Every structure is written in structure tokens, then in C-alpha cells.
Amino acid sequence: MKFFLRGLFLLSVVFLFFTCKEDDSFLGENFLDSKLSIYYDTVTNFTTESVPYDNNDTLGGVTRAVVGDYYDEVFGDTKAMTIFSVAPQFNVIDSASNRNADSLILQLQFRGSYYGFDTTEQTFHLYAVEQPLSQIDDNPIANVNLSDYYDPNSPIATTTYAIKPDSTAGLLKFNLPASMAEDLLQDLESLITTDTVFVNNFDGFIITAERQDGRGALIHYNLNAEETHMRLHYSDGNNDQVFYFYPTSSEGVVRRFNFFEHDYSTGTISNQMISMNHTQFIKDDSLAFIQAGMGINMKIDIDLAGSEIFAESMNNDDLVINRVRLELNPIKREFELVDSLQYAPPEGIFVLEDVNGENEIVEDYYDPENGRIVPEFYYDKENSYGLVFSGMVNRKVNEGNSDFTLFLQPSESIISANRAVFYGSGAVDSLKPKIIITYSKRTNE
């Protein structure tokens, strides 16, 4: 449906035309004798689809370890596991002789929770890595078989405890086998000569979890914190206690990855799926989904050819696209107090464009000063995201392209589930996403 408002001559917009035009004589003879018309165009000619995260994504360099086992009635069962290495804090040690190993401890500092906001018990299993983690570097997810790196039947340590996400000092601790402490102490001086030597000889750890009650939780730990480390306790010949630390934060030396397993067959999301194996969803469905943890992107195929901005009869020299905004509405549900954050839509979502099979940052969401993508934030009062990509559409008009594909995914958040259910392009007109275009053009009327 098309609306337009023929308004008065807006001085500020005229100034924009002045600064954008190169031919001053053209402006003087023609533009100043014309009026400015403002138009509003609503476009719904596009389709939404839920798609698994691109298997070409890589996993390396995470700053938070995510571990847990959680059930979501919509998205089903999710398991998260972390795999990482450690490196010596220093490459020299004291000159003590007759060292005796006392204990070897691994601990991770609690950071927060994506899911599970009540007290919940989980059993955590620690495994020794059996292959160099350097083999995972820069590999797509599809090429990594995590079972190649550890024996799931042979944990080296296990612990069960209850997590309270409002705690700021919680530690996940494992007491490692005495034999490992003795072996490490025996080779202490030779292994710590350089970080690289140590990492090449000590492959690292994998942590998994199983929920013991309720729906469980996905918990994240700070891999850059001082409290996250492996710590060797030993006594010297004088029976003095000595500590030697192996942190997980040595940039460029240690490897850190998170892996996720999703079982969508256990959630209501399965009603929108056409295949569990090689996950596929119904295209142009009434619902669409996004989910963090290498879960689901929302794909939007857009064609603006029906908009007046692409009409063949329009002279593009007379056109200014003021704003292009996609309104995307999550399903509104009534929350119990405990669920108000747990199932709140993500604080922000990232907007990417599919360019020849590669996801690229949309210019409207790129921060050149910091060289990073910025998210579109959720508006709680309107229960919507208002994605604005006017710059990209201006470029498309100049290139003569009316169609493009966007991918949406949750930006990182530690206070919500980082998942959302949206009304898709197959929903009723009042709920489906829509694009509202505001543009101006010169007229002599």
C-alpha cells in the first residue's frame, strides 16, 4: 500500500540536495522551481526462513567457556561443552630440590548464565584432550569431530554442584589425578622453557555437563580471569608449599573453543521442520527462529522491485531514499517473574548480507572507528526490532539491484536466553514482517 505526502519545501532537505548535486546550473534552473514530495512505501514481498548456522563458521578464540545441559520447551535440548589448553604463567621456577607433588587443581571462574536462572545441580565431567588442539584452528564446524579429541568413557575428574547465577565468586573446581600432578612435576623444568613447548606436550581439557534436576542450565566461565587456571601444588626439600600457575588466557598460545549439540526433535520447533537430519525448516512459514550457540540464523530474502524507488519511469537523479526500516516482531508471551529475563528476546541482533555465499557486514551496522559490527537493539515497549539499512538500499539502487538476502543472528548477551521466535513471512498480514521505505523526489507540480 502506498502513501505520499506533498509537503512544503523543507529547507534542510533542500540543503542536502544542494550538497549532493554536482551541476549547480541544473539546480538553479530546475530544482529551485520544483517542490519536494515525501513518500511512504510499505513492502512485504519477501520470505523468511530458519536456517542452521553456516557450517563454514569457525569456533576459535572464545573468551568465555560455555558448559551445560538445558531443556527449552520451544528449542528442545541443548548441550554445551568447552575445550581449551593452558600455558605456564612463567617460564622459570624456583631452584628448590626434592620436589614432591601435593595436588593439581583446575578451576574456572563463574561469569553468568544464558539459561537456567534458578538454582540447579549439574554434574560436570573433565576429560584430557588426546589430540593437539592446533588441528581445530580455522576449521569449519562440519570438519571437526569432537569425539576424535577425547574418550567420553574416561573422565579424569567429576564434580556435582548447584549453580546460583547471582553469585559473583563461584568457581568450577576439579581435583586432577595424583599421577598427572606427579608427571607434570617431574617434567616441570623441561616443559615450561617456552609456552609453545608446553602446549605442544600438554594438549588440554574438555568439560561436559549433565543436568540433575529441572531444566538444567547453560553456564559460562571467564577464560581471561586470573581465577581461571590450572594450579600445581608441591613442596620443596624444606617442606615449603609452592604454587605454579597455568592460566588459559595466554593470547596466541592457548586454544579455546565452544561446541554445542542441539536436539530440536524434543521441542515444539520441530513442528516447523521438514528434516531433523541435515536440519531443514519450512520456508515462508508463519514462524521463524534465531538461536545463539551455533544454533539458528534467520534468513530473509527481500525483493524491493515492487517499490516505486525501482520503478523504471523514475529518474533516480530526482530520488533520495531517506529511510528503509524492517519491522520484525517476536512473539509476545506473558512471563512469570522468574522467566522475564530467561525468555526475553536477545538484547541485540546482528545483521549480515549474503554476498556470493559469504556473510558480510551491512554498512549501516559497521563501526569503522572500532572496526566491528554493531547490533540492532530490541525495543521492549514496542516488542520489536527496527532494522534500518538505508545505506545498503541506496547502494542497491545505484547498482540497479532490487533483491538481496539478509541473515540475522543474536548478538552476545549474558542476561537472556539469546533466542527468539518471530512471526514469519507466512503469518497473517498484521503480524508478518514489513519494510517501510521513506523517500523524497523532486516534482514540478
Side-chain angles (χ1 to χ4, degrees), residues 97-103 182 185 233-237 239 241:
S97 59
N98 300 320
R99 301 184 184 94
N100 295 299
D102 294 323
S103 62
E182 292 168 359
L185 185 62
H233 295 212
Y234 66 91
S235 56
D236 60 18
N239 290 321
Q241 289 293 310

Side-chain angles (χ1 to χ4, degrees), residues 366-382:
Y366 178 66
D367 176 6
E369 183 175 344
N370 297 298
R372 63 182 179 86
I373 184 173
V374 294
E376 177 63 43
F377 292 103
Y378 173 68
Y379 297 94
D380 184 55
K381 291 183 178 180
E382 299 180 9

Side-chain angles (χ1 to χ4, degrees), residues 5 78 84 115 167 171 177 193 204 213 219 283 297 301 303 353-354 365 389 443:
L5 171 66
T78 295
F84 58 91
Y115 299 86
S167 170
L171 293 173
T193 52
D213 58 1
I219 306 159
K283 189 173 184 178
N297 281 339
D301 293 317
D303 190 352
E353 182 188 4
D354 180 1
Y365 290 94
F389 40 91
T443 176

Side-chain angles (χ1 to χ4, degrees), residues 5-18 27-28 30-38 440-445:
L5 171 66
R6 297 184 181 275
L8 297 174
F9 202 100
L10 303 179
L11 182 59
S12 60
V13 181
V14 173
F15 178 76
L16 176 63
F17 273 83
F18 279 15
L27 286 172
N30 297 296
F31 187 79
L32 292 179
D33 291 334
S34 64
K35 295 182 179 179
L36 185 67
S37 295
I38 309 296
S440 311
K441 69 174 181 176
R442 179 172 56 86
T443 176
N444 291 319
E445 296 180 9

